[in-house]
Amino acid sequence: MRAQHTFSGATDSWLQRLLTWTPGQTDMIKTVALVLMVTDHTGLLLAGNNEVMRLLGRGCFPLFGLAWGMNLARHAEIRQSQLNSLWGWALVAQVSFMLIGYPWYTGNILFAFAVTGQVLRWVSQPSWYYTLPAAGLLVTWIPLSTASYGMAGVGMLTASWLLCRAQHAPERLGYGVLWALMVLLMNMNDLSESVAGLAIALLALMVCSSAGERVKRFWPRQFFVMFYAVHLAVLGIVVSMWTQVRGAGTLPVNVTKGTSSLCPLHCEVKR
C-alpha cells in the first residue's frame, strides 16, 4: 500500500512538472508542434505522404491541444470572446483547406477547437438551456470532422482542458490517463501512428518543461492561427504549380483519404 502511494505521488509530481510552463516554454512547445505540423503537411502534399514525416506529425495535435487547454484553464470560465476569435479564424482557414483539396463540408482542425470549446462553455453554464445547443453542435460536427480526428479529437481536447485545470492528484492522474488514451484513439487504425503521437508529444513536453525557464515569450498573439491559414494557402499554391508543371490533373496525393494532422491552434496565452 505504501509503495502504491509512493508511486502515485511520484507520478503526480512528474505530471505537475510536465504541465508547469512559463510563457516562454509555452511558445517553445507550440513551436515544436508547429514544426511537426509543417513536416506532416509537407510530407502529405509534396512527398507522397512520406511515412516518417507522417509519424512525426502525429505529435502535433496533442501538443497544441494541451497548450489550448492550458490557455482556457487560466480563467475561471471559458470566455466567449476567445471562442469568437477562433470561429473566425476557422472560417478563414477553411478557404485554404479547400485550396489544398479538401471538400467544403470537411472542417479544418480549427473547427475542432472551436466546437469543443463552445460545447465545454455551454455545458459549464448553470442553466440546462445550453445543453440542447451543445448536443446539437456536437452531433453536427461528427460528419464534418473526418479530416480532424473526429470524436477522438474532441475527446483529446476535452481531456486536455480537464487535465490543465485539475487541482488534486487523483483527478490529475485520471485526466492524464484519459488524455493519453484519447491521443492513442485518434490514430486507432494504425498502431505505429498511435504510439508515435503519444511518444513524440511526451518527449517534447519533457524537454520543453525542463529547459528554457528564463526564455521569454517570443511569438505574438494570434500567430499560430494566422500561420495555419497562411501555410495551407502557400502549400495549396505550390501543389497547384507542381501539378501544372507535371501536367497532371490531380494533386500529388489524395488528401481526402485518411486523417492528417492538418492542425495548429488557437492556443495563445493571454498577455
Side-chain angles (χ1 to χ4, degrees):
M1 181 67 70
R2 183 175 182 179
Q4 183 179 3
H5 285 303
T6 302
F7 174 76
S8 61
T11 303
D12 181 60
S13 297
W14 173 77
L15 195 54
Q16 289 188 65
R17 291 194 300 271
L18 206 65
L19 297 174
T20 301
W21 316 329
T22 65
Q25 288 173 316
T26 301
D27 274 4
M28 288 169 58
I29 291 170
K30 291 188 288 185
T31 301
V32 172
L34 182 148
V35 171
L36 294 174
M37 177 186 73
V38 174
T39 299
D40 181 39
H41 297 177
T42 303
L44 174 68
L45 297 171
L46 300 175
N49 202 11
N50 180 273
E51 182 65 21
V52 175
M53 298 171 77
R54 183 173 177 81
L55 287 175
L56 289 172
R58 298 308 91 189
C60 163
F61 190 34
L63 289 174
F64 272 127
L66 280 175
W68 175 80
M70 188 69 72
N71 183 42
L72 294 186
R74 291 174 183 272
H75 308 287
E77 63 178 28
I78 299 174
R79 299 180 177 183
Q80 188 60 50
S81 59
Q82 291 176 291
L83 298 177
N84 292 342
S85 176
L86 187 50
W87 281 112
W89 280 110
L91 291 171
V92 171
Q94 189 65 18
V95 177
S96 301
F97 205 58
M98 292 187 291
L99 185 61
I100 63 172
Y102 281 92
W104 64 269
Y105 53 82
T106 300
N108 69 76
I109 202 72
L110 289 183
F111 279 112
F113 289 97
V115 167
T116 305
Q118 194 67 65
V119 170
L120 289 175
R121 172 175 167 77
W122 280 341
V123 298
S124 299
Q125 299 301 309
S127 174
W128 64 270
Y129 292 110
Y130 291 93
T131 303
L132 186 59
L137 178 60
L138 198 58
V139 170
T140 302
W141 173 242
I142 293 176
L144 307 178
S145 63
T146 54
S148 298
Y149 295 105
M151 289 300 97
V154 173
M156 188 279 292
L157 292 175
T158 301
S160 296
W161 177 67
L162 292 171
L163 174 60
C164 291
R165 69 197 298 267
Q167 299 296 319
H168 306 289
E171 61 177 347
R172 190 159 38 242
L173 292 172
Y175 292 141
V177 171
L178 178 62
W179 177 84
L181 288 175
M182 289 297 103
V183 172
L184 292 174
L185 286 176
M186 289 192 306
N187 297 287
M188 61 184 300
N189 294 325
D190 191 311
L191 179 61
S192 61
E193 291 187 6
S194 292
V195 174
L198 182 59
I200 292 171
L202 288 177
L203 178 61
L205 288 172
M206 286 188 290
V207 173
C208 293
S209 63
S210 61
E213 293 88 349
R214 297 183 180 181
V215 175
K216 295 183 179 180
R217 184 176 183 181
F218 50 90
W219 290 118
R221 290 182 59 202
Q222 307 291 341
F223 172 78
F224 290 91
V225 285
M226 288 189 290
F227 182 89
Y228 177 66
V230 171
H231 100 283
L232 286 185
V234 170
L235 283 174
I237 293 172
V238 172
V239 168
S240 298
M241 296 173 60
W242 174 275
T243 55
Q244 290 178 9
V245 169
R246 298 193 63 177
T250 58
L251 295 176
V253 61
N254 185 355
V255 298
T256 61
K257 292 183 178 180
T259 300
S260 173
S261 66
L262 288 168
C263 69
L265 217 342
H266 186 18
C267 47
E268 311 296 338
V269 178
K270 201 80 171 179
R271 287 187 187 275

